[in-house]
């Protein structure tokens, strides 16, 4: 975690795995895609609970590296140049 202050409120950031799903290439190869979301947390004054808000997202194929989203169901595995569709 990292901490910084915005408008006198303590904030935190974290990276969370927010989804994991299978995607299939035209040749039948199956990949596991992991969605990773940056989150910012705000500790409201007087509260012990952190309120987390989602920020940017990125995708990784397990064992194959970064993935570019093309739509909600279509992705490209960058290193392989391979198009895949959510199963």
């Amino acid at each position: 975690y990292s901490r910084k202050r915005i408008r006198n409120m303590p904030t935190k950031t974290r990276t969370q795995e927010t989804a994991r799903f299978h995607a299939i290439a035209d040749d039948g190869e199956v990949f596991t895609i992991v969605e990773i979301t940056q989150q910012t947390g705000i500790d409201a004054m007087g509260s012990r609970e952190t309120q987390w808000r989602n920020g940017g997202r990125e995708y990784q194929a397990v064992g194959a590296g970064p993935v570019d989203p093309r739509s909600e169901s279509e992705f490209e595995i960058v290193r392989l140049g391979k198009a895949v569709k959510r199963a």
Side-chain angles (χ1 to χ4, degrees), residues 11-81:
T11 61
K12 305 173 192 173
T13 58
R14 67 181 182 185
T15 302
Q16 291 282 108
E17 178 180 320
T18 48
R20 183 177 286 245
F21 56 90
H22 290 107
I24 303 171
D26 287 338
D27 64 6
E29 189 172 3
V30 177
F31 295 89
T32 300
I33 308 295
V34 178
E35 178 186 81
I36 301 163
T37 303
Q38 291 283 9
Q39 296 178 327
T40 301
I42 297 173
D43 292 333
M45 299 299 247
S47 173
R48 292 185 179 174
E49 284 191 35
T50 300
Q51 297 177 4
W52 293 99
R53 295 197 173 98
N54 289 337
R57 289 193 179 122
E58 63 183 64
Y59 298 87
Q60 295 281 326
V62 174
V67 173
D68 283 339
R70 300 292 182 214
S71 71
E72 288 292 316
S73 62
E74 296 179 354
F75 302 84
E76 180 181 343
I77 299 175
V78 176
R79 185 170 53 103
L80 304 176

